[in-house]
Amino acid sequence: MKLTRSGKIVFWGCLWGLIVLILSVLLDPTPENYTLGVSILLSGIYTWLLFLTRELWIQGLIRQPIRNAILVGSLNAAVIETLFLLVEKVFGASGVAAHPNLLVDLLLTMPWYIGVVWIFVRAQSKERFPGAVVLLLGAIYELGGDGIIGGIILPTLMGFPPNFLEFLILMPLMMFWQFIPVYSSIVLPPAWILDFSSQTNPTDSPNLFKGLLPLVWMIPYLVYIVIALLGISFLGY
């Protein structure tokens, strides 16, 4: 099967991300690196299993494709968050998941996922981006949520600003490509549901700008997460 240009970017990017991930674990075998490595790999495997079984579960979801696409993407986000937390506990790591308490973790993260998925599905229902582009968009959404909000803005507000130069170097070289399997089950299955539905009509030239609209959700989510973190801190969690 001949890969499209975007398909080649995803393939080689994911391969590079996998190599870097393995090297990170081998050269620095900390519980945190083990947690990241195993969680990212399992996230990709989970999406692959969904792909292999999609003929079994997708037919029951295409009658109301937009609603069900949003529900599936949001549910898979909860699965991935839970997966990361469970793997973190298995390896005795800390600081990988949003919070060591699953309910608090989901309270902090699910509003981000639900908002992003809702906006993405609305855009995808009209533009119908190909699978490889969907994967790249998912990585961009993760860059916005976990990279910019979780990795730069929140630490800076807490008085622990990151090394911006290190961030700018590591993000395009390593982290971005590892984001692809993490968000793959959050964005691909909703796209599959829309593709299988007769209620959606693909456009000849998708507007990529509309695929970036979920990043607008960063603004209200940042307000939410700051208030939520202050509340959790006040309650002693």
Side-chain angles (χ1 to χ4, degrees):
M1 180 179 67
K2 187 176 181 179
L3 292 175
T4 62
R5 182 179 180 183
S6 57
K8 291 177 181 178
I9 292 174
V10 170
F11 175 80
W12 291 111
C14 286
L15 182 60
W16 169 248
L18 177 61
I19 292 172
V20 172
L21 192 64
I22 294 173
L23 288 176
S24 298
V25 173
L26 293 177
L27 297 176
D28 189 19
T30 63
E32 288 72 25
N33 280 344
Y34 275 118
T35 298
L36 284 171
V38 172
S39 298
I40 292 172
L41 287 175
L42 289 179
S43 297
I45 291 172
Y46 175 64
T47 304
W48 183 248
L49 291 176
L50 289 175
F51 173 77
L52 293 177
T53 61
R54 64 178 180 169
E55 295 288 348
L56 301 177
W57 55 265
I58 207 167
Q59 292 297 329
L61 301 176
I62 61 177
R63 292 183 179 179
Q64 294 182 294
I66 293 180
R67 185 200 69 177
N68 289 331
I70 295 171
L71 290 174
V72 167
S74 301
L75 176 62
N76 283 337
V79 170
I80 296 303
E81 276 297 315
T82 304
L83 170 66
F84 268 75
L85 182 57
L86 290 176
V87 176
E88 180 183 79
K89 291 184 179 299
V90 168
F91 286 106
S94 62
V96 178
H99 195 277
N101 182 300
L102 178 59
L103 292 179
V104 177
D105 183 296
L106 295 178
L107 177 68
L108 292 173
T109 58
M110 286 309 297
W112 165 256
Y113 291 122
I114 293 171
V116 165
V117 170
W118 190 89
I119 300 172
F120 164 73
V121 168
R122 294 290 177 176
Q124 180 69 9
S125 67
K126 297 176 181 178
E127 301 299 326
R128 296 280 291 278
F129 302 105
V133 174
V134 168
L135 288 172
L136 290 171
L137 288 173
I140 292 173
Y141 304 154
E142 172 75 325
L143 173 61
D146 196 48
I148 296 177
I149 292 180
I152 294 180
I153 298 178
L154 290 180
T156 301
L157 292 176
M158 294 176 182
F160 305 100
N163 186 319
F164 291 102
L165 179 60
E166 181 179 290
F167 179 86
L168 291 174
I169 293 174
L170 293 180
M171 183 56 65
L173 291 180
M174 296 171 48
M175 298 166 63
F176 178 83
W177 307 108
Q178 296 168 4
F179 288 162
I180 291 178
V182 176
Y183 260 56
S184 59
S185 67
I186 300 172
V187 291
L188 265 186
W192 296 337
I193 292 171
L194 296 174
D195 285 342
F196 271 71
S197 170
S198 59
Q199 298 181 31
T200 55
N201 298 311
T203 57
D204 294 330
S205 53
N207 185 346
L208 187 59
F209 173 77
K210 292 185 178 179
L212 299 176
L213 286 177
L215 294 177
V216 175
W217 187 245
M218 291 173 62
I219 299 172
Y221 177 71
L222 178 59
V223 176
Y224 168 82
I225 193 67
V226 169
I227 295 173
L229 288 173
L230 288 174
I232 290 170
S233 177
F234 177 78
L235 294 173
Y237 282 95

